[in-house]
Amino acid sequence: MTDNSGSDKAVRPNSGAAQRSGTPSARSSDAAPKPGANPRTAGVPKPGAPKPGPAKKPAKPAPLPGPAQEHPHPVVVPTVTDPGKWGRIDENGTVWVRTAEGEREIGSWQAGDVAEGLAHFGHRFDDLATEVALLEARLAAGTDARKTKAAAVALAETLPTAAVIGDIDGLAQRLQAIADHSDEAAQHAKEEKERTRHEHTERKEALCAEAEQIAADSTQWKAAGDRLREILDEWKTIRGVDRKVDDALWRRFSKAREAFNRRRGAHFAELDRERAAAKARKEDLCVRAEELSDSTDWVGTAAVFRDLLTEWKAAGRAPREADEQLWRRFKGAQDIFFAARNAAASERDAEFGQNAAAKEELLRAFEDRIPERIDTDSAALESARAALRELQERWDAIGKVPRERMHELEGKLRAMEKRVREAVDAQWRRTDPEAVARAAQFRERVAQFEEQAAKARAGGRTRDAEKALEQAEQWREWAAAAEGAVSRR
């Protein structure tokens, strides 16, 4: 709605009603006139004038719901910056307001100058304009259009007798517009309420369907239980559903929750039975482990403990406290056995360390008897072979060494054995002329075929040359194989 007064726009707080307007200037000694009062008795009475009769108060608009009458937008109402446009105060102090029907006397002003009087009655008009703006805001917000219309009609009835200066006709038009649009707003509110009811019904139906799905097949017991509680919390926030429909949906939801709780209870009852069986199996495993705890069959018993641990894992979980207690028993038996085995291993490692030192000393003692280069004459070779046999016998007599030293020491022994073996092979190759001759014969055949290939190429016989080269390559491979056989002996 627009204000026809032509005055500036200003935001003013709700004054409550026209009858609660502020007092006139401090120079005024009488009460300010109230809207709806007799125009001849409103304001400060003239000398000798009759006493004013009781003023008729305008009907108050219905209060807005919610804290502090909140609105989606601030209420903007016009301020009468030029009350002289809409009214006047004559030389006798009589106050007049101009309307479409002409001037109307609204009271008397004797408390100050004319400007103050006009401002006073202009502020009263502002209070009425604020009331109208609040009703417009209520209508725009969809707040009980029926009550808004009733308040607008009641306020419109006070305008013909309102002791205010301003665009009263404009306020009347705005109030009429509020009344005219209230029915439409009421219908819209009804449709909106029906739409909201439909949406809320659909939401509750969806929650019912979800609860029924959870009750039917969910095995995520904690997550499903938490979700059902969330559904219940959301259910409580959904309002406006038809009572009969709401009751039916609530029965569906309650039935789904009860079904889920029964299925969950059956699951945990079965789980309790399984845990009781697991407890019995683990008690038996504890007894068997305790019987093995003092065994000295380190390898065999360690393997049995590994099998028992596999059975333990396959047995499942016992009740929490019992499971923890049984595990301490089982692990305690394990720890006793493996602590004894580790102690024995430590003692054995100390012995193995002494063996390693003895083998190192033995290798140093035989370095001169089995040198890096062994002469292949019969006497030197036989001496090296005898030294190797003695070394091997004494080596085996010393015994085992720590695992981390085994590769190093065995490598040094294998190196000495290789020296002797290579010296023996070299001597044998020298004493086997037949194998050497065979290799030389193959090499001679290679030379013959290469010579044939050269002659064929010189004579332009390319195919003969290629064939001869192929045969030469074949004999070369045989020669290499024969020479390799000789070297490996």
Side-chain angles (χ1 to χ4, degrees):
M1 296 295 178
T2 59
D3 181 16
N4 298 326
S5 67
S7 59
D8 297 334
K9 303 288 184 178
V11 179
R12 295 179 58 83
N14 182 7
S15 62
Q19 61 270 29
R20 296 194 301 273
S21 60
T23 61
S25 171
R27 290 181 292 174
S28 176
S29 60
D30 297 303
K34 299 181 180 180
N38 189 320
R40 297 187 179 274
T41 58
V44 179
K46 296 180 180 180
K51 294 183 179 180
K56 180 181 178 182
K57 295 183 180 180
K60 295 182 181 180
L64 294 177
Q69 297 187 348
E70 295 181 354
H71 300 285
H73 304 287
V75 179
V76 180
V77 298
T79 301
V80 182
T81 57
D82 185 14
K85 178 180 178 181
W86 302 103
R88 65 187 178 86
I89 301 176
D90 60 21
E91 64 279 2
N92 297 322
T94 302
V95 184
W96 302 85
V97 65
R98 298 185 183 95
T99 67
E101 298 177 355
E103 285 190 331
R104 174 168 60 84
E105 182 181 350
I106 61 172
S108 176
W109 178 259
Q110 303 293 333
D113 59 27
V114 172
E116 290 177 343
L118 290 175
H120 170 71
F121 287 97
H123 289 323
R124 287 189 162 210
F125 174 83
D126 290 345
D127 294 337
L128 281 179
T130 299
E131 295 288 345
V132 176
L134 286 174
L135 292 176
E136 290 172 337
R138 290 177 59 179
L139 185 62
T143 304
D144 199 343
R146 182 180 60 81
K147 292 183 178 180
T148 302
K149 179 179 179 181
V153 170
L155 189 57
E157 291 175 352
T158 69
L159 293 183
T161 58
V164 298
I165 293 180
D167 186 9
I168 295 177
D169 295 328
L171 288 185
Q173 292 174 5
R174 291 167 65 186
L175 289 170
Q176 183 61 44
I178 292 173
D180 292 342
H181 290 87
S182 292
D183 294 337
E184 178 183 348
Q187 180 62 27
H188 176 73
K190 180 179 179 182
E191 294 173 356
E192 183 65 19
K193 184 177 181 181
E194 185 61 30
R195 184 188 63 80
T196 302
R197 179 185 292 110
H198 179 70
E199 290 178 354
H200 288 182
T201 301
E202 286 186 339
R203 181 55 188 154
K204 283 198 172 183
E205 287 176 346
L207 292 176
C208 278
E210 183 181 356
E212 289 166 346
Q213 182 67 29
I214 291 173
D217 55 18
S218 178
T219 56
Q220 301 296 322
W221 307 112
K222 184 179 186 307
D226 291 343
R227 179 54 189 154
L228 285 176
R229 283 190 290 274
E230 291 171 0
I231 290 175
L232 179 59
D233 291 339
E234 183 179 353
W235 187 286
K236 295 176 180 178
T237 65
I238 302 173
R239 303 181 183 278
V241 180
D242 181 76
R243 180 64 175 272
K244 184 176 180 180
V245 175
D246 198 33
D247 290 344
L249 291 173
W250 174 252
R251 286 192 293 271
R252 280 181 58 190
F253 176 61
S254 298
K255 183 178 179 182
R257 282 205 305 166
E258 291 170 1
F260 172 78
N261 289 335
R262 285 195 301 272
R263 201 160 57 84
R264 181 173 60 178
H267 166 78
F268 283 106
E270 178 62 24
L271 189 61
D272 288 341
R273 288 191 290 271
E274 291 176 358
R275 288 179 175 176
K279 178 181 177 182
R281 288 194 295 272
K282 288 186 173 182
E283 287 174 342
D284 179 63
L285 291 173
C286 285
V287 172
R288 291 163 60 186
E290 288 165 350
E291 291 174 350
L292 293 171
S293 61
D294 57 355
S295 173
T296 56
D297 180 8
W298 311 123
V299 177
T301 305
V304 174
F305 267 112
R306 285 194 295 272
D307 294 340
L308 291 179
L309 183 59
T310 301
E311 291 185 46
W312 183 279
K313 293 177 180 179
R317 290 187 61 85
R320 174 177 299 232
E321 294 184 1
D323 202 58
E324 294 175 354
Q325 181 181 4
L326 290 170
W327 172 248
R328 287 194 293 271
R329 279 184 61 189
F330 182 79
K331 191 174 184 301
Q334 273 189 320
D335 291 345
I336 291 174
F337 167 77
F338 285 106
R341 189 188 70 166
N342 292 339
S346 298
E347 183 179 349
R348 180 196 61 196
D349 289 344
E351 178 185 350
F352 285 1
Q354 296 175 359
N355 293 346
K359 286 189 175 183
E360 285 182 332
E361 182 64 26
L362 183 64
L363 289 171
R364 286 193 293 271
F366 277 81
E367 286 178 351
D368 294 336
R369 298 176 61 183
I370 307 176
E372 290 287 341
R373 299 181 60 83
I374 300 175
D375 194 348
T376 56
D377 64 79
S378 299
L381 182 58
E382 186 59 32
S383 174
R385 294 176 67 180
L388 179 61
R389 286 193 295 272
E390 181 182 352
L391 171 62
Q392 291 172 333
E393 290 175 359
R394 294 175 61 181
W395 183 277
D396 292 339
I398 291 174
K400 297 181 179 180
V401 299
R403 184 183 299 272
E404 62 274 11
R405 299 293 309 281
M406 187 180 300
H407 180 73
E408 171 199 351
L409 297 173
E410 290 290 336
K412 292 179 180 179
L413 175 64
R414 298 294 173 261
M416 289 186 174
E417 292 174 345
K418 183 179 179 182
R419 296 173 198 169
V420 176
R421 185 173 61 252
E422 287 177 349
V424 172
D425 289 346
Q427 184 189 44
W428 182 82
R429 284 195 299 272
R430 289 200 313 272
T431 60
D432 189 9
E434 182 179 351
V436 176
R438 185 180 304 108
Q441 183 181 6
F442 291 164
R443 288 294 178 185
E444 184 178 353
R445 292 290 290 167
V446 170
Q448 291 174 358
F449 281 113
E450 288 178 345
E451 184 179 354
Q452 290 178 12
K455 290 179 179 180
R457 188 178 296 106
R461 302 191 305 278
T462 304
R463 291 190 61 186
D464 292 343
E466 291 177 354
K467 185 176 181 180
L469 288 175
E470 290 177 358
Q471 292 177 331
E473 183 62 26
Q474 182 64 58
W475 281 97
R476 184 180 292 107
E477 291 178 1
W478 290 342
E483 290 172 349
V486 170
S487 65
R488 288 192 299 271
R489 293 179 179 179

